[in-house]
Amino acid sequence: CLRALNGQPPAAPTPRVVEREEEEEDEELTLKYGAKHVIMLFVPVTLCMVVVVATIKSVSFYTQNDGQRLIYTPFPEDTDTVGQRALNSILNATIMITVIIVMTLVLVMLYKYRCYKVIQGWLFLSSLLLLFFFSYIYLKEVFKTYNLAMDYITLAIIIWNFGVVGMMCIHWKGPLRLQQAYLIMISALMALVFIKYLPEWTAWLILAVISVYDLLAVLCPKGPLRILVETAQERNEPIFPALIYSSTMVWLVNMADTDRPNRNSTEAASPQQEPQEVASPVPSSPSQDDGGFTQSWVSQQEHRLGPLQSTEETRREIQQMPSARPPVEEDDEERGVKLGLGDFIFYSMLVGKASATASGDWNTTLACFVAILIGLCLTLLLLAIFKKALPALPISIFFGLVFYFATDNLVRPFMDKLALHQFYI
Amino acid sequence: MNLERLPNEEKLSLCRKYYLGGFAFLPFLWLVNVVWFFREAFLKPSYTEQLQIKAYVKRSALGLLLWVAVLTTWITIYQHFRAEWGEVGDYLSFTIPLGIP
């Protein structure tokens, strides 16, 4: 889900002409800053994808089929007939999506009934698991791949440092760059887990279905995410900082409240009724919308991604790692755009899967990469136009899938044939 | 988290917390402390809390150097003598490289 933190002019009574001029100017500014933020989001998304692809290419662990599957995808895909395989993958995808929907509803219920502590604890545990356990496995595989010896003592120190500083940066206070780096790393870790444990057809199906679900959940009036946002708005509070990547630190304007940093930490820590940090008194202010949407979106993502289970129960929780919510800033310079970590994860998963299993290899990978970036551009453009929370998955994933299948099945044989006949175009 | 926007007491408090946290076997935290507060401590025009922040940054840097020295020594020893240590070496190892050492 994508949220732009645009300061909209407060709803004050001004003469119509002036208002319109202001609006136009604002539009222009928005689009201009929109472009800047597109670029700001390109970098982390690209980085995440690069990390995932690099790992897939070098560490064979993530492409090996150990025969292990997640509980959520119990049907194997190495069956005798194509029909059987198709059926199995559809069933797997259905189970996964159902789990995700259920988790999202649970989250919305928890939020509605103000069980904030539960949600926070959940998020905390997920990030704990992700930062410690998954990075441990990742390091192990990397060392094995490069045939390096490593002793437990050094390893313990490394993992301990990585994990604790990560928890601090994400849930408490830390330098912005480091926080962004950690968010990218955990997204990459999660995407790798997905790539390893989801069989092929299931993975593609899940991507497709999730994009559709995303669209519905965020835009339909009865969608769980929408309900979440509306509830947050009614209560006039930001939703707990979940997995959200923000391009800049944005500060909320609140004349009375001088305690910025506290708020930052409290935001990260608890979705409580904080003194309203809204840029404008209008309840539909972007910042609130943002908060609501992105988080619900994110949590939804979490759910989505979350329910993976082979040995690790809390994958979903992993997703639910809170990121410190950046307060919104007063001047125009630092309006940021926020992108849910789930979006990162799915983009990387698509590109990673493409690089792992495509016969066209780098062609396909690059094509998917470009497709996703184009999709992201378009989504951000729409965001600048509509100024409300939008699902970031559908367009990008749709393009990505189209490009993947097209490149793999059409472009690559074409290129091969050309090369074979030494015919250069 | 943008340091610019914090009042000085908060900066001091943050620096201090990072410094104290580093004692829990967290040299990385000290590294983050040094890098993050370097500009605050040394390159900014002085303000009341700056002296203390400087002290914390210096001590974090010291602790960091110490840790780096210890770790480098240990890693060198380990990598060099691992094969010779036989059983103990294997017991200590997290991953054992294949092939002949």
Side-chain angles (χ1 to χ4, degrees):
Chain A
C1 170
L2 223 40
R3 246 357 234 136
L5 303 167
N6 296 318
Q8 281 174 349
T14 50
R16 285 211 107 211
V17 176
V18 177
E19 210 175 271
R20 190 157 305 143
E21 275 177 14
E22 278 179 8
E23 270 176 35
E24 278 176 15
E25 205 181 272
D26 205 49
E27 284 275 343
E28 218 179 86
L29 271 177
T30 313
L31 286 177
K32 204 193 302 174
Y33 285 114
K36 187 164 131 201
H37 291 299
V38 167
I39 310 296
M40 282 206 258
L41 277 186
F42 269 13
V43 174
V45 171
T46 313
L47 272 178
C48 194
M49 289 198 247
V50 161
V51 168
V52 170
V53 171
T55 311
I56 294 273
K57 288 293 181 194
S58 54
V59 180
S60 62
F61 172 74
Y62 287 102
T63 40
Q64 279 163 4
N65 188 357
D66 291 340
Q68 239 186 341
R69 274 191 308 280
L70 303 172
I71 289 188
Y72 304 97
T73 54
F75 298 97
E77 273 200 16
D78 46 349
T79 53
D80 300 324
T81 65
V82 172
Q84 184 72 10
R85 185 176 188 186
L87 184 67
N88 279 356
S89 55
I90 292 178
L91 286 173
N92 278 340
T94 321
I95 295 179
M96 191 80 148
I97 294 294
T98 322
V99 176
I100 288 172
I101 296 180
V102 165
M103 300 299 310
T104 316
L105 290 176
V106 165
L107 184 79
V108 174
M109 283 298 115
L110 281 177
Y111 186 69
K112 246 188 145 81
Y113 294 115
R114 300 176 190 267
C115 311
Y116 296 134
K117 291 291 178 196
V118 178
I119 298 179
Q120 275 170 55
W122 194 1
L123 294 180
F124 192 76
L125 279 177
S126 323
S127 42
L128 209 68
L129 189 79
L130 195 60
L131 279 172
F132 286 95
F133 188 59
F134 284 173
S135 49
Y136 167 80
I137 293 189
Y138 181 78
L139 268 184
K140 177 151 81 144
E141 293 308 322
V142 168
F143 284 136
K144 268 198 214 155
T145 307
Y146 290 108
N147 221 17
L148 295 172
M150 174 58 60
D151 57 308
Y152 278 112
I153 301 175
T154 319
L155 179 80
I157 294 181
I158 295 177
I159 298 280
W160 172 242
N161 273 273
F162 180 75
V164 171
V165 179
M167 291 300 278
M168 281 181 70
C169 279
I170 296 175
H171 295 243
W172 191 52
K173 305 175 199 177
L176 179 68
R177 289 291 173 217
L178 196 62
Q179 184 194 346
Q180 292 174 333
Y182 266 107
L183 291 176
I184 293 177
M185 282 189 270
I186 61 186
S187 306
L189 278 176
M190 204 54 215
L192 286 170
V193 162
F194 274 118
I195 293 175
K196 177 165 175 65
Y197 288 111
L198 289 180
E200 258 198 73
W201 289 16
T202 312
W204 297 117
L205 258 181
I206 286 183
L207 275 174
V209 180
I210 267 194
S211 311
V212 172
Y213 174 60
D214 191 7
L215 198 63
L216 293 176
V218 171
L219 295 179
C220 287
K222 278 300 175 186
L225 293 187
R226 201 158 174 148
I227 296 178
L228 198 58
V229 175
E230 282 162 9
T231 320
Q233 281 178 2
E234 278 167 41
R235 294 182 193 169
N236 237 9
E237 65 189 28
I239 298 189
F240 43 84
L243 302 167
I244 305 175
Y245 179 96
S246 75
S247 51
T248 60
M249 280 304 293
V250 213
W251 292 77
L252 288 174
V253 175
N254 183 339
M255 303 308 169
D257 189 354
T258 49
D259 216 348
R260 293 295 105 207
N262 268 354
R263 184 203 333 203
N264 203 14
S265 62
T266 31
E267 269 182 304
S270 69
Q272 268 11 324
Q273 279 72 7
E274 288 154 348
Q276 223 4 225
E277 55 245 37
V278 206
S280 73
V282 180
S284 57
S285 71
S287 41
Q288 260 181 331
D289 273 352
D290 282 345
F293 252 90
T294 22
Q295 264 146 350
S296 47
W297 174 237
V298 169
S299 357
Q300 183 216 353
Q301 298 290 23
E302 306 161 5
H303 293 306
R304 210 179 290 201
L305 304 173
L308 291 196
Q309 178 120 14
S310 53
T311 47
E312 298 88 36
E313 232 270 351
T314 29
R315 292 225 189 119
R316 98 195 62 176
E317 285 141 22
I318 292 165
Q319 261 96 46
Q320 293 143 2
M321 295 192 306
S323 65
R325 242 122 170 268
V328 173
E329 194 205 53
E330 317 178 287
D331 69 315
D332 302 13
E333 291 312 318
E334 307 221 21
R335 295 174 190 168
V337 187
K338 293 185 192 169
L339 185 60
L341 281 198
D343 299 326
F344 275 85
I345 296 177
F346 279 123
Y347 294 161
S348 310
M349 182 183 145
L350 194 151
V351 178
K353 237 354 191 202
S355 76
T357 57
S359 46
D361 215 28
W362 286 108
N363 271 335
T364 323
T365 312
L366 280 176
C368 287
F369 171 68
V370 169
I372 288 181
L373 286 185
I374 293 178
L376 190 62
C377 254
L378 283 176
T379 314
L380 284 169
L381 189 68
L382 286 178
L383 184 69
I385 296 176
F386 287 113
K387 291 203 180 47
K388 47 182 252 194
L390 292 179
L393 279 186
I395 302 180
S396 291
I397 300 283
F398 175 67
F399 280 176
L401 288 176
V402 163
F403 271 54
Y404 172 74
F405 287 111
T407 316
D408 208 31
N409 298 316
L410 299 175
V411 176
R412 209 241 338 138
F414 178 58
M415 300 293 288
D416 285 347
K417 265 290 166 85
L418 285 184
L420 195 63
H421 294 278
Q422 296 283 297
F423 188 74
Y424 296 105
I425 48 172
Chain B
M1 169 113 281
N2 195 348
L3 273 187
E4 307 291 324
R5 315 239 161 207
L6 289 179
N8 292 335
E9 305 79 44
E10 306 272 351
K11 283 186 216 167
L12 179 63
S13 149
L14 202 59
C15 191
R16 187 161 175 277
K17 288 194 184 128
Y18 268 70
Y19 168 66
L20 291 176
F23 281 109
F25 292 92
L26 292 169
F28 191 29
L29 208 56
W30 275 334
L31 178 65
V32 172
N33 203 11
V34 168
V35 171
W36 200 17
F37 281 96
F38 187 76
R39 193 193 278 158
E40 283 297 320
F42 298 106
L43 302 177
K44 281 253 170 88
S46 78
Y47 49 91
T48 22
E49 290 81 1
Q50 199 189 40
L51 211 57
Q52 284 177 292
I53 292 186
K54 249 193 228 180
Y56 285 133
V57 171
K58 282 188 199 157
R59 282 185 231 163
S60 302
L62 199 64
L64 180 68
L65 278 173
L66 208 69
W67 263 101
V68 168
V70 167
L71 272 179
T72 324
T73 328
W74 164 247
I75 291 178
T76 331
I77 296 179
Y78 173 74
Q79 294 290 344
H80 200 65
F81 291 113
R82 184 188 53 82
E84 293 159 33
W85 280 346
E87 242 189 69
V88 177
D90 281 349
Y91 182 65
L92 275 177
S93 299
F94 169 53
T95 48
I96 302 176
L98 307 167
I100 304 179

